[in-house]
Amino acid sequence: MTIIHNRPLDDIAETAPTIAGNAFTRAFSGGSLWRLIGMLVLILILGFLTIYPLAMLLYGSLHSTPPGMAGEFNLNGYRSIMTTQNLIVLANTIGISLAKTIPSLTIAVFLAWIVARTDTPFRGTLEVLITLPFFIPPILTAMAWGMLANPQVGVINMVWRWLTGGTDPLVNIYSYGGVIWHMCQYSIPFLFLFMVDAFRAMDPSLEESSRMCGASRWTTFRKITLLLMLPVLTSSFMLSFIKGIETFESALFFGLPAGIKVITTDIYESINHRATPDYQYATSLSFAIMGLMFLLVIWQWWMLRGKSFQTVTGKGFRPSVMELGPWRWVTFAFCVLFFFITVVLPIGQLMLGSFFRFFGFYTYDMLTLEHYRAVFANSEFWRAVRNTMVLGLLGATATMALGAVVAYISVRTRWRGRNLIDSMAWLPWMMPGMVLGVGFLWAFAMLPGPIPIYGTIWALLLAYIALGTPVSVRVMTGAYHQLSYDLEECSRVHGATWAQTMWRIMVALAWPAFAVGWVLTFFGIMRELSASILLYSVGSETLAVVLMKLWANGNAEQVSVIGLMMMLLVIVFRWVQLSFIKARISKL
Amino acid sequence: MASVTLENVSRMYGAITAVDNVNLKIKSGEFVTLLGPSGCGKTTTLRMVAGLEKNTGGRIAIGDNVVSDSDKGYFVPSERRRLGMVFQSYAIWPHMTVFDNVAYPLRIRRRPDTEVRDRVMNALRLVEMEQYAERPSPALSGGQQQRVAIARALVFEPEVLLLDEPLSNLDARLRTQMGDDFRALQQRLKITALYVTHDQAEAMALSDRVVVMHGGKILQVGAPEEIYRRPENRQVAAFFGTPNLLNATVKDCRPNGGQYFKLSVEGQGWSGDCHAATEMPKGADVTVMVRPENLHVRDAGQVNGDLSWSGEVSQAIFRGSHRSIMVKTPAQTLHVEASSLSNVDIGRPVTVAAPVEAAWAVRN
């Protein structure tokens, strides 16, 4: 058995192949020409998704007329955003984000501690329940809370009046408190998900040695546990704060009716709610908020520089679990209460709303199924379902495929240009959906005529891919980091080519992460409102947009029906994700 | 099984030379170990043979086939070199069963299913793992993973078997046992093996020849006993164990009748005879190496050997299998490994002696 590629010692002719690049890539890839073409295509795709809308944002902010019309360049946009009114908007944005981050972080730390470090009963189930709100589209809970805590006809206030006999409402969702409250419902599970593994993976010997040195449980918690968690806590804080600035739904539903404006709603209003949409104002504001986000991200980097998140060593630590005694039922009750308020109450309200003729009049003779009939007979609804599904499936697949390729190149190769594509893929991280929406609005309008993307479903798809790429790259980067190079090299030495190794080893091992990322991206697309509402047009509405339109028309009953459908979808997907994918992962 | 030839093989990383002009010929069926401290270039050398790194200078041949020649820009990628390799981490693919892991090299080469089954089971039988064939591979212990890795490396009957510190992740007891098992297997199958380790005991127990490397260069190549007893220089001498290295001056040098020279040397407060590989001029400064296990402690004044030192016992540590005794002499403190039964009082004046065969001189 001789191999044709091996030649006798003295017979190496000048026909011997020469391969460019450094040793590692030469050993691990095919020809360099294909690689070069591949990289160029990738840079073009990423450039179109991130750099192009960003550049158009700058262009638009200096352009005096709406996208696609002749106009002149001036600084009027930036002049018009420099108003005292906008200072209040800025203060609102930052203040609300801070006000929701601090309590959210406190509660999330407490919940993470309960689930990871105490002997509270049914912790496994509680973990699933606590994180569920994160997967529910915010627009649904926003509408549900709009009905629950409406000062006049909200269920909570009706019950309160009935109990006390008074006439004043207990809570009014249309207020600062309401906006913050709704944001907290999303921040808490998000932060919990972000932190719980750090709590779980902490090396217990670090705490035990503190106890052995004579420190009490409480001192140990303060001086060791909390300080070890500090890098995670800091980054959680920053992340939550940045997310708070990007949030759109809470401020749209509860802020605008009360006259509370934040930057995202201000951009939205200036395009959708003015007699003539002021694109230059909106674009300038978008560019300004992106500058703010950029500074925040830089600050985050600076704060976290050199800090290691690695209290996690990858070893299967069994963290020391604190025995709470009877208190464990208190912690259990706290978790259940959280689940009840954030999931059961809104779902209950949607059910209530969907079965009664008029929202707010809950009597027996008002019971009806007419809203279900109306929704199911509505062709716009079915079109939106189809659009959302198509966008979700295509978008999640494309986003994850892009993320998997970008992450592979930046983590596992030494190819020239890998840092460039990594940074390009990361750019949308500092663009809120609303800002990216405005950027794409310009980007599509400026495309040459024969490329009719604007106003089609593909416009939404491209925006979703851009929005999802930073997360998909992070997910896949994490997955690749966990696979040692040996696994790949071993396959090569034993006779597999680069392509065979990719398929049989890397894809086979990384697919659970891919699947997890896919589901996350799918959820992300299903809940997306801020970019969709700028980029949709008749025929390409998503479910979130249809909900929004129905709500604006005061049709809370049909909103409830559609909301319930979406909720059902979320729960089914989440269940599939947990039972199917987790089973596959734990098998590994 | 094939031989391996390295001719002037070098590897540069930027301006840093990781492997510097290495020449080595491994005969067919031979077990050669690359030994050295971490960063000495041994793993890089192995990876260049594997084709996982490209040599920046020289050429490598497996059997009669050149697989890499940097001058001609010729390079055969790993998968076409027909090698087997055991990684330090074993690199057992966690998503496959034991059987699938071992079958991988055959399936990649599209062998028929019946052949795959037979050869995999044969390979697993060699490492006594046939009853674990259907196990998911993460459910294996370290020792079992290592056996699977060996079976996988052998299943395709590779030209050469490469091993990168395969025993370093096992506990001490298992390490010895696995090492002995593997050596027996290698000799039975007449496999050409290139083995990398930093563990001297492992290198000596397993290899036909040991290659001692340091700073990217080969210091010495030879049979384990040769390297241990007759190092070519002070660095190699110091690498194995904790030998006593004494400075001395040559008084006389004459042929020994055999392949060595017999030297008369004199140090600070001692003198005697020892062996050396080359002729040394009178008055040359040399280092005399005496291994602790070849030294004997006698009562003071009782000279019984070709070399002797007078001193007093400064420390005695019971180590179970032996007793470490430190004897303070005018030249330096000597480390002696004595029987654990021997009992020495600290402060007692003694004479330390060694036979001429146990003392080896190298030029400074």
Side-chain angles (χ1 to χ4, degrees):
Chain A
M1 273 185 285
T2 47
I3 304 287
I4 49 159
H5 296 278
N6 293 8
R7 302 164 193 212
L9 261 173
D10 299 309
D11 187 32
I12 305 170
E14 47 281 2
T15 53
T18 43
I19 309 163
N22 67 36
F24 187 84
T25 57
R26 222 167 324 169
F28 278 83
S29 66
S32 62
L33 182 67
W34 285 111
R35 186 204 312 161
L36 193 70
I37 293 171
M39 283 296 271
L40 280 178
V41 169
L42 207 54
I43 288 173
L44 276 179
I45 292 173
L46 286 169
F48 183 75
L49 287 175
T50 63
I51 307 268
Y52 180 52
L54 190 62
M56 284 300 113
L57 209 55
L58 180 63
Y59 174 88
S61 70
L62 299 171
H63 200 75
S64 62
T65 51
M69 289 193 211
E72 51 163 16
F73 292 100
N74 57 37
L75 289 173
N76 286 347
Y78 290 102
R79 248 175 249 130
S80 64
I81 62 170
M82 299 288 196
T83 59
T84 40
Q85 204 197 348
N86 274 2
L87 266 185
I88 298 172
V89 170
L90 183 68
N92 269 339
T93 310
I94 292 174
I96 287 174
S97 189
L98 269 182
K100 72 102 191 184
T101 302
I102 294 164
S104 300
L105 192 62
T106 316
I107 295 174
V109 166
F110 188 51
L111 287 171
W113 175 76
I114 289 175
V115 167
R117 306 302 299 271
T118 69
D119 65 344
T120 302
F122 309 111
R123 276 168 294 158
T125 317
L126 285 179
E127 189 177 351
V128 175
L129 297 183
I130 288 171
T131 53
L132 190 61
F134 177 71
F135 298 94
I136 302 172
I139 187 173
L140 294 188
T141 48
M143 288 164 175
W145 277 100
M147 300 184 227
L148 273 168
N150 183 305
Q152 282 82 43
V153 290
V155 176
I156 293 175
N157 289 317
M158 278 159 60
V159 170
W160 173 256
R161 284 196 202 101
W162 178 74
L163 280 176
T164 59
T167 51
D168 290 336
L170 173 67
V171 285
N172 178 6
I173 195 76
Y174 300 106
S175 62
Y176 278 104
V179 176
I180 292 167
W181 162 245
H182 185 249
M183 285 164 101
C184 281
Q185 287 181 54
Y186 285 88
S187 297
I188 294 169
F190 171 75
L191 289 168
F192 174 88
L193 278 169
F194 196 77
M195 290 187 300
V196 70
D197 282 331
F199 271 84
R200 218 189 317 258
M202 213 181 78
D203 183 352
S205 66
L206 297 172
E207 286 169 313
E208 283 160 5
S209 60
S210 158
R211 301 286 301 279
M212 298 308 293
C213 292
S216 69
R217 221 178 248 273
W218 172 236
T219 314
T220 302
F221 181 77
R222 267 187 315 130
K223 298 217 160 183
I224 305 294
T225 317
L226 217 53
L227 286 182
L228 280 173
M229 289 292 141
L230 204 57
V232 179
L233 292 181
T234 321
S235 63
S236 309
F237 181 88
M238 296 299 299
L239 211 56
S240 177
F241 181 62
I242 290 173
K243 287 268 158 213
I245 289 180
E246 294 183 2
T247 310
F248 175 56
E249 287 89 344
S250 312
L252 176 69
F253 279 89
F254 308 131
L256 276 191
I260 303 163
K261 279 196 201 170
V262 297
I263 294 180
T264 47
T265 53
D266 203 28
I267 297 172
Y268 172 69
E269 262 205 311
S270 63
I271 293 181
N272 274 33
H273 283 190
R274 289 193 191 171
T276 49
D278 191 343
Y279 281 99
Q280 194 177 16
Y281 175 84
T283 317
S284 306
L285 196 58
S286 299
F287 205 75
I289 186 180
M290 236 199 60
L292 177 70
M293 299 293 289
F294 184 72
L295 289 179
L296 279 175
V297 171
I298 297 286
W299 184 40
Q300 183 189 12
W301 269 0
W302 182 79
M303 294 255 295
L304 298 172
R305 74 197 185 286
K307 287 215 180 80
S308 159
F309 299 88
Q310 299 292 323
T311 45
V312 191
T313 60
K315 284 188 186 139
F317 289 120
R318 184 159 292 278
S320 57
V321 165
M322 191 186 279
E323 284 171 20
L324 294 176
W327 285 97
R328 70 184 195 275
W329 293 106
V330 177
T331 53
F332 175 77
F334 183 79
C335 295
V336 171
L337 184 70
F338 177 78
F339 174 70
F340 181 79
I341 292 177
T342 55
V343 178
V344 178
L345 269 186
I347 292 189
Q349 172 63 55
L350 290 180
M351 285 180 127
L352 202 62
S354 70
F355 286 114
F356 287 91
R357 191 159 311 222
F358 297 113
F359 155 62
F361 298 91
Y362 307 121
T363 52
Y364 183 73
D365 56 334
M366 286 287 193
L367 271 176
T368 175
L369 284 175
E370 71 174 79
H371 306 309
Y372 283 86
R373 269 181 238 119
V375 166
F376 290 137
N378 183 346
S379 66
E380 200 186 2
F381 165 73
W382 288 111
R383 194 169 61 200
V385 169
R386 202 176 55 236
N387 284 343
T388 306
M389 282 297 138
V390 167
L391 283 170
L393 296 174
L394 274 182
T397 310
T399 309
M400 286 312 293
L402 187 62
V405 172
V406 169
Y408 183 85
I409 291 172
S410 77
V411 171
R412 308 289 281 204
T413 73
R414 306 275 159 80
W415 295 357
R416 196 190 293 262
R418 71 193 140 84
N419 287 332
L420 176 69
I421 61 166
D422 194 41
S423 330
M424 281 165 85
W426 173 82
L427 259 185
W429 187 243
M430 47 180 199
M431 297 195 226
M434 182 59 71
V435 171
L436 198 78
V438 175
F440 270 120
L441 217 53
W442 280 96
F444 294 140
M446 298 299 289
L447 280 176
I451 310 174
I453 293 179
Y454 183 65
T456 65
I457 192 169
W458 309 115
L460 290 170
L461 183 72
L462 288 170
Y464 293 161
I465 294 174
L467 279 173
T469 301
V471 173
S472 72
V473 172
R474 288 298 161 276
V475 168
M476 294 314 288
T477 302
Y480 295 142
H481 270 308
Q482 285 178 348
L483 302 176
S484 84
Y485 282 104
D486 287 359
L487 297 174
E488 228 173 312
E489 291 181 347
C490 188
S491 161
R492 298 274 292 180
V493 174
H494 290 119
T497 60
W498 184 80
Q500 283 171 316
T501 302
M502 277 295 101
W503 177 247
R504 286 180 172 237
I505 306 294
M506 292 307 280
V507 172
L509 279 171
W511 88 260
F514 188 93
V516 169
W518 192 92
V519 174
L520 274 181
T521 317
F522 186 87
F523 280 134
I525 290 173
M526 209 160 68
R527 66 198 291 179
E528 215 299 320
L529 180 66
S530 50
S532 319
I533 206 141
L534 288 182
L535 292 172
Y536 87 90
S537 61
V538 179
S540 67
E541 300 96 337
T542 62
L543 272 176
V545 170
V546 167
L547 277 177
M548 193 58 215
K549 283 163 98 178
L550 285 172
W551 180 261
N553 292 337
N555 201 337
E557 300 80 12
Q558 289 192 19
V559 161
S560 301
V561 175
I562 299 176
L564 272 179
M565 304 285 136
M566 283 178 87
M567 204 74 101
L568 201 67
L569 202 65
V570 168
I571 290 169
V572 167
F573 254 86
R574 183 77 182 132
W575 177 77
V576 168
Q577 183 197 14
L578 283 173
S579 53
F580 179 61
I581 298 175
K582 214 168 191 171
R584 287 300 294 251
I585 293 173
S586 62
K587 234 181 96 181
L588 291 182
Chain B
M1 286 297 159
S3 61
V4 178
T5 314
L6 286 84
E7 285 174 31
N8 303 320
V9 170
S10 300
R11 173 74 175 115
M12 309 272 293
Y13 292 105
I16 300 154
T17 310
V19 175
D20 193 359
N21 240 351
V22 162
N23 283 286
L24 184 65
K25 170 116 184 137
I26 303 164
K27 295 192 281 285
S28 180
E30 195 181 22
F31 193 126
V32 170
T33 299
L34 301 176
L35 176 68
S38 60
C40 72
K42 57 189 191 299
T43 298
T44 309
T45 308
L46 185 84
R47 287 170 61 85
M48 286 191 290
V49 175
L52 296 172
E53 301 266 353
K54 193 169 186 197
N55 47 317
T56 50
R59 63 176 173 178
I60 301 170
I62 295 172
D64 292 332
N65 302 313
V66 168
V67 291
S68 174
D69 187 329
S70 76
D71 295 340
K72 299 199 167 106
Y74 179 70
F75 184 80
V76 177
S78 291
E79 67 265 25
R80 301 205 205 107
R81 295 190 180 191
R82 296 169 48 82
L83 301 167
M85 185 159 173
V86 179
F87 287 76
Q88 183 171 8
S89 64
Y90 311 136
I92 300 294
W93 298 302
H95 58 306
M96 301 180 186
T97 62
V98 166
F99 186 92
D100 291 337
N101 260 285
V102 178
Y104 188 84
L106 298 170
R107 286 189 176 148
I108 282 293
R109 294 173 170 99
R110 303 188 197 290
R111 299 282 148 181
D113 277 352
T114 49
E115 186 193 332
V116 169
R117 176 147 287 278
D118 290 349
R119 290 174 76 167
V120 169
M121 289 320 282
N122 273 336
L124 285 174
R125 206 165 297 128
L126 274 180
V127 294
E128 295 164 16
M129 287 289 291
E130 67 266 37
Q131 69 272 37
Y132 296 103
E134 293 311 319
R135 277 257 179 121
S137 49
L140 299 175
S141 70
Q144 290 169 333
Q145 286 194 29
Q146 204 248 12
R147 286 167 192 271
V148 173
I150 291 176
R152 181 177 61 190
L154 289 177
V155 73
F156 192 63
E157 289 165 13
E159 303 269 355
V160 179
L161 182 58
L162 306 172
L163 303 104
D164 186 6
E165 310 218 12
L167 301 178
S168 62
N169 285 337
L170 302 177
D171 62 60
R173 220 190 163 107
L174 200 56
R175 196 181 310 168
T176 316
Q177 193 210 327
M178 291 298 298
D180 295 347
D181 287 359
F182 179 67
R183 173 66 168 158
L185 187 68
Q186 184 266 336
Q187 288 189 316
R188 189 148 54 90
L189 301 180
K190 304 262 184 295
I191 306 164
T192 311
L194 183 57
Y195 190 102
V196 161
T197 184
H198 63 269
D199 184 316
Q200 330 145 9
E202 209 172 285
M204 282 188 285
L206 298 176
S207 335
D208 294 315
R209 280 194 301 159
V210 176
V211 179
V212 182
M213 291 186 72
H214 186 84
K217 290 196 172 76
I218 292 182
L219 293 182
Q220 189 174 356
V221 184
E225 194 169 344
E226 169 105 6
I227 288 194
Y228 186 75
R229 290 184 52 191
R230 293 183 282 276
E232 273 172 14
N233 54 44
R234 209 182 154 117
Q235 258 177 317
V236 177
F239 189 70
F240 291 92
T242 50
N244 297 295
L245 299 169
L246 297 119
N247 292 320
T249 319
V250 178
K251 288 281 139 198
D252 186 32
C253 177
R254 56 197 176 276
N256 193 23
Q259 57 191 125
Y260 308 117
F261 291 86
K262 193 168 184 179
L263 301 183
S264 293
V265 292
E266 187 175 4
Q268 196 188 344
W270 64 277
S271 63
D273 292 344
C274 63
H275 283 154
T278 54
E279 189 167 8
M280 310 239 189
K282 277 179 200 169
D285 289 327
V286 293
T287 298
V288 176
M289 178 197 79
V290 191
R291 300 250 171 224
E293 66 270 23
N294 296 329
L295 285 170
H296 303 283
V297 177
R298 306 271 176 251
D299 290 334
Q302 191 189 344
V303 177
N304 182 13
D306 304 290
L307 278 166
S308 62
W309 297 263
S310 311
E312 64 177 45
V313 177
S314 63
Q315 203 180 8
I317 302 160
F318 176 70
R319 294 196 193 272
S321 63
H322 63 271
R323 198 180 289 270
S324 288
I325 299 170
M326 298 296 177
V327 179
K328 206 173 168 192
T329 72
Q332 66 190 73
T333 302
L334 295 177
H335 176 208
V336 182
E337 267 181 27
S339 156
S340 57
L341 297 174
S342 64
N343 196 7
V344 238
D345 301 323
I346 290 175
R348 201 172 73 168
V350 291
T351 295
V352 178
V356 64
E357 310 85 61
W360 182 257
V362 293
R363 207 187 267 266
N364 277 6

